[in-house]
Amino acid sequence: MSRPMIFAVLSAAFLLFIQSPQALAQWQGKGEGGAVIARGNSDADTVNLKLEMATELGRWKHGFGIQALRATNDSDKTAERYGAFWQSDYKLDDRTYLFGGLRYEDDRFSGFDYQASATTGIGRKFIDTDTTKFSGQAGVGYKRLEYALTGRVESEAIFSGELKFEHALTETTKIIDKFVVEVGSSNTFAANDLALQVKMSDRFSLAAGIGVRYNSDPPLGLKTTDTITTLNLVYGF
């Protein structure tokens, strides 16, 4: 599946559920943004944006998200990453669900033109209280990736897993962690995003986070692991 087709599928899935202002009002989520601009002996710019939304319709839950990261130093790009995901869950009971999802990531500095996957499986909410939420899911799927230097395209079956953890330390402070892994015969991809979020008002929060991306078999000369530290303003809706 080509990159334009992947974006088209994700966009069409999202637009299918937002056909009116009333439908949009049923979605809840958060948007995050952070920027660093330096001028003087060197010019440096860093911008990162995230948007995640979800809605529940009976036994169904649908989630959608996009993210972008761009960094330059003296007009030379040092980081550029774009990503999107869609997931639909069907509740079997209050804690267990079946899921189907799409994920796409275009990281210009990872050595891959893109990595895209479609997965399905089962998930479980292990802890679901006002203070602590912990859930996990596992499944199988299909992945397609393209190497940037050679243009070589690989497709393979994968195992996918995900863990989500959220814990309120105080009434205004909480810790959030999300871990994703996709294991295939040619490459294992893993990502972990950890954030400490401090509430400033009913809608706005500050979040300090660290994100780690891992590819077991990147193109020759590239490192397996990338990390990024962020400080974002978060708006909840």
Side-chain angles (χ1 to χ4, degrees):
M1 184 181 290
S2 66
R3 279 182 284 182
M5 288 180 65
I6 295 166
F7 276 122
V9 169
L10 289 170
S11 299
F14 182 57
L15 291 174
L16 178 64
F17 292 93
I18 302 182
Q19 300 179 3
S20 67
Q22 292 78 14
L24 180 60
Q26 296 176 0
W27 290 75
Q28 295 181 330
K30 62 181 180 179
E32 298 186 40
V36 176
I37 301 174
R39 295 292 183 268
N41 293 321
S42 65
D43 295 342
D45 301 285
T46 302
V47 177
N48 71 92
L49 302 170
K50 293 181 181 180
L51 173 66
E52 292 188 5
M53 304 172 65
T55 187
E56 294 193 34
L57 303 169
R59 287 184 171 270
W60 288 96
K61 178 180 179 181
H62 306 288
F64 172 79
I66 55 176
Q67 61 177 335
L69 166 70
R70 187 178 186 275
T72 61
N73 191 352
D74 289 331
S75 300
D76 294 328
K77 289 182 182 179
T78 57
E80 188 174 11
R81 180 192 301 152
Y82 306 99
F85 76 87
W86 176 276
Q87 180 167 312
S88 292
D89 304 337
Y90 181 78
K91 295 180 183 179
L92 298 178
D93 55 45
D94 289 341
R95 290 184 177 268
T96 309
Y97 60 92
L98 301 175
F99 75 89
L102 301 171
R103 189 189 70 84
Y104 172 87
E105 184 167 284
D106 179 355
D107 188 343
R108 307 294 171 85
F109 287 80
S110 68
F112 298 97
D113 260 355
Y114 69 89
Q115 299 184 65
S117 62
T119 55
T120 186
I122 190 167
R124 176 79 174 173
K125 296 179 181 178
F126 302 111
I127 304 174
D128 189 18
T129 67
D130 292 338
T131 302
T132 305
K133 299 182 185 299
F134 177 50
S135 63
Q137 60 185 44
V140 295
Y142 172 84
K143 184 172 185 177
R144 184 179 176 92
L145 54 86
E146 180 178 341
Y147 290 84
L149 296 178
T150 63
R152 179 165 58 95
V153 176
E154 293 187 354
S155 302
E156 59 185 0
I158 60 170
F159 163 82
S160 70
E162 180 177 300
L163 293 172
K164 290 182 180 180
F165 176 77
E166 181 177 315
H167 178 68
L169 300 174
T170 67
E171 291 184 358
T172 59
T173 305
K174 63 181 177 180
I175 187 169
I176 303 170
D177 190 68
K178 180 179 179 180
F179 173 75
V180 177
V181 64
E182 294 177 348
V183 181
S185 59
S186 63
N187 185 66
T188 294
F189 168 83
N192 193 84
D193 292 298
L194 174 66
L196 181 67
Q197 186 170 306
V198 180
K199 194 173 184 179
M200 299 187 300
S201 68
D202 290 341
R203 294 289 187 180
F204 288 97
S205 304
L206 281 177
I210 181 168
V212 180
R213 295 279 187 286
Y214 169 81
N215 283 287
S216 65
D217 190 25
L220 187 64
L222 294 177
K223 296 180 179 180
T224 59
T225 306
D226 291 302
T227 62
I228 181 173
T229 303
T230 59
L231 181 62
N232 288 350
L233 180 65
V234 181
Y235 176 75
F237 57 91

